[in-house]
Structure formats: C-alpha cells, structure tokens
Amino acid sequence: MTGRYAPHGPTPDAFEGDRFQILALDGGGAKALFTAHVLAHIEDDLGVRITDHFDLVAGTSAGGIVALGLGAGLRPKAIAEHFGDLVNRVFPARLQRKARLGRLSKPAYDSDALHEVLVEVLGERALGDSCLRLVIPSWDLQRGEVHIFKTRHSERLTRDWRIKMVDVALATAAAPTFFRAARVNDSPLIDGGVWANNPSVVAIGEAVSMLGVPLDAIRVLNVGTMEPFTANTDPLESAGVLGWGTKAVDTILNASSRGGMGTAMHLVGFDDFVRFDAPVPPGKFALDRIKAKSVRGYASTTSRNLAPEFTAKFADHVAPGFTPLPPPTPRSGPCSDPTPEGDS
C-alpha cells in the first residue's frame, strides 16, 4: 500500500471494504493461558479458524506472545499447550516464593528460560513471516518512549519485518521486576503493559492512521486475562510501599486495561466493541502463578457465553488474506553498486 505523508503522519489510500475486524489480546503474564483457551474453545464450538475473521491482531505482553503464535500459523489449542509448558518452565512453583523475595534487588525470573521456550515454539521465524497483520506494544526504557512492533503492512514500516518473533516476544513480555529488559537492535525494551496492557486503542489507531480504515468500519473483539473482583481498597488509601506491595502492579495493569477499553468503546461505538473476560476472586491468580485446571474452567464458561456473540458480530466477516509488502529495495542510480565484470 502506498500513501502520501503529511506532517502529522501517513495519509494512506482509501480503505476498500465495509468492515475491518481487530482481535486485541490483553497482557497478564501466566494468566494469558486463559486467552489461548478461550480462543481454542471458540474454534472447537463453532468450527471456525479464529484468524480467518480478523484483519489485524494486537497483543501486549503475554497477549503479544499469543498474537505472535497466531501470526506464526499456530492454532489456539496448540498455543494453549505451549503456553502451559511455558508457565511451568519459566514460573516453576518451587521458585515462586524465592522469586518474590528476590525481586527486591533483581529480576525474579530467568529471561534465558523464557527465550528457550519461545525458540522451541516460534523457531527462527521473523516478524515478516507472519501470516497476519500484527501490532505488538513495548516500551523503550532508555528513551522513555513507546515502541510498537509491526508487520510490514505499510510502506512506512521498513525495519521490524527483519526482527525475530522470539525477540519481539521477549521485548513485549519483559515485565519490570519479573524479567530483565530485552535488547532489540541495541535498545533496552520492556513490557508493553506499562502503557498499553489493553492494546485495543493501539490497534484502532493503526487501522485508522496506517491503513486508512474509517472508525465506523471497525469492530473489535478484546479478550482479557481474568480480572479480579474489586477487593477492599480502604487500607490502600493511606498505604506506603509495604502496604501497596504487588497490589500496585495489579492496579496499574487493570487501570491500563480499563482505560484502553473505555477509550476504544468511545472511538468505535459501544455496539462495535466486545470485551470478554472472567472476573475472579482477588489473589486467586497472579502474573506468575496460576492453576491450569482452574484457568481451563474459567475459559470454558467464558467461551460458552462468547460463542453466540462471536457468531452474531464477527463470524460473517472473512478477512482477506494478508500478504506483507516486499522488503524495501535500494533505488538504482549513479551511486548504485557497480556490476562486477563478467556478470550479465
């Protein structure tokens, strides 16, 4: 897709079509196992391939790992299996108490273990190998700026397609105090959840600004990661560091998700934004602690409720196949490399 560029950013060609559907997957650490199971149940219940119905997939943190798995061509059921293995190997129960204490002075968990599991699943695939348009938020720690990984779905996007999916996954999931920052092209990147735990607004912005999609053509399915009921917050009103503890992280992530959800609803309209999540008791799950059987139960119930709404609002749209733009090539001219003698 070619486009004209204004001072405020790209002005792409007009969108052709009557609908553009976005799948937005929240961050949530180990709790993103819920997301993978929900999508797997939808496929099984309705006999569909979930990715056939979405023009753009956005995922933050562990939701970004799920999104990358979909972009690599994996079905949600396979992603759920791999993700369960990831949780067991990266957040082993025997280390969780020690890890929580260790977070006071260093990251709690081993990024190398996460890298090892991701390589087994995603291999050597680059972002440019994705079969879906992807948008994966991260945060540049050194520059203090938003960093968003994107497939090559616009001429303006010239670098990310070369980056390995594994490196993108490490960057979007590098939660502070849990993992060390990921180095991608020498930039220290951390978890996209610090600013966009719910990537719905990021995806809507991408569709409008980079792909020329009008807001009234956009429909969004947003899947959360088991948000806890509101607990008694009275003690937090005057709490310090010890009182807030890990509750600060949970509050920031929930606030980010809720804020993104509310803004997205106002942008595309309440009828065209569907969020599914499972409210759970406070403390039942954590970013590094889940019970897989219990997660499967919540996912089963939630997906049972989601199936009719998916059929009513999303199933009738079949997204055209995504073909990434070819890699940029240098223009020929007087400074081009000379043709070696003997070559034709």
Side-chain angles (χ1 to χ4, degrees):
M1 177 181 292
T2 59
R4 295 174 289 106
Y5 293 85
H8 61 275
T11 306
D13 295 338
F15 170 70
E16 295 183 5
D18 58 358
R19 197 188 308 167
F20 187 94
Q21 295 193 163
I22 292 170
L23 177 63
L25 308 175
D26 282 17
K31 299 186 295 176
L33 180 62
F34 167 83
T35 305
H37 278 304
V38 166
L39 298 179
H41 277 298
I42 292 298
E43 289 202 338
D44 287 346
D45 291 345
L46 301 179
V48 300
R49 189 180 183 105
I50 200 84
T51 52
D52 288 346
H53 301 279
F54 293 95
D55 303 274
L56 175 66
V57 179
T60 298
S61 192
I65 294 176
V66 175
L68 287 161
L70 295 173
L74 300 176
R75 302 294 287 269
K77 183 176 289 187
I79 294 173
E81 293 172 359
H82 288 304
F83 203 91
D85 179 53
L86 181 153
V87 171
N88 291 333
R89 291 166 60 181
V90 177
F91 306 119
R94 60 185 172 80
L95 294 182
Q96 285 176 10
R97 180 175 176 79
K98 181 180 178 181
R100 283 192 286 274
L101 294 174
R103 284 169 60 193
L104 293 173
S105 59
K106 62 181 180 180
Y109 295 101
D110 184 1
S111 297
D112 292 337
L114 178 58
H115 179 272
E116 180 180 307
V117 179
L118 291 171
V119 168
E120 291 175 11
V121 178
L122 299 173
E124 294 296 310
R125 293 182 184 88
L127 196 57
D129 297 321
S130 175
C131 59
L132 304 168
R133 292 183 190 86
L134 296 179
V135 175
I136 311 291
S138 186
W139 179 260
D140 189 319
L141 189 61
Q142 180 172 269
R143 293 173 59 84
E145 291 183 353
V146 165
H147 190 107
I148 307 175
F149 294 98
K150 305 176 184 182
T151 48
R152 188 160 157 75
H153 47 258
S154 167
E155 290 285 0
R156 190 185 183 195
L157 307 174
T158 60
R159 176 179 291 186
D160 291 356
W161 64 273
R162 294 175 291 180
I163 299 172
K164 290 182 179 179
M165 285 188 176
V166 167
D167 291 333
V168 176
L170 288 170
T172 191
T177 77
F178 286 87
F179 299 105
R180 66 175 182 265
R183 282 271 172 179
V184 180
N185 290 332
D186 294 324
S187 297
L189 304 178
I190 62 172
D191 197 312
V194 301
W195 69 279
N197 200 55
N198 182 330
S200 297
V201 172
V202 178
I204 292 169
E206 187 72 10
V208 172
S209 70
M210 299 294 281
L211 299 170
V213 183
L215 283 172
D216 60 7
I218 296 175
R219 192 167 289 179
V220 180
L221 174 60
N222 174 219
V223 184
T225 53
M226 300 182 299
E227 183 176 331
F229 304 140
T230 300
N232 178 20
T233 59
D234 291 348
L236 299 179
E237 293 182 15
S238 57
V241 173
L242 292 178
W244 271 98
T246 58
K247 297 182 182 69
V249 175
D250 294 336
T251 300
I252 290 168
L253 292 178
N254 288 341
S256 176
S257 291
R258 285 287 179 171
M261 176 183 71
T263 305
M265 281 183 172
H266 282 284
L267 286 171
V268 302
F270 285 66
D271 289 339
D272 289 327
F273 185 94
V274 176
R275 178 176 171 85
F276 266 81
D277 205 351
V280 299
K284 186 172 181 64
F285 303 110
L287 297 178
D288 59 347
R289 176 178 50 80
I290 59 170
K291 293 182 179 179
K293 183 177 180 180
S294 185
V295 171
R296 290 195 300 269
Y298 279 107
S300 177
T301 301
T302 300
S303 58
R304 184 172 182 268
N305 297 329
L306 173 57
E309 191 147 15
F310 183 90
T311 299
K313 290 194 172 183
F314 298 96
D316 64 335
H317 173 74
V318 177
F322 169 58
T323 302
L325 295 174
T329 55
R331 293 178 295 177
S332 60
C335 293
S336 300
D337 293 337
T339 302
E341 290 185 11
D343 287 358
S344 56

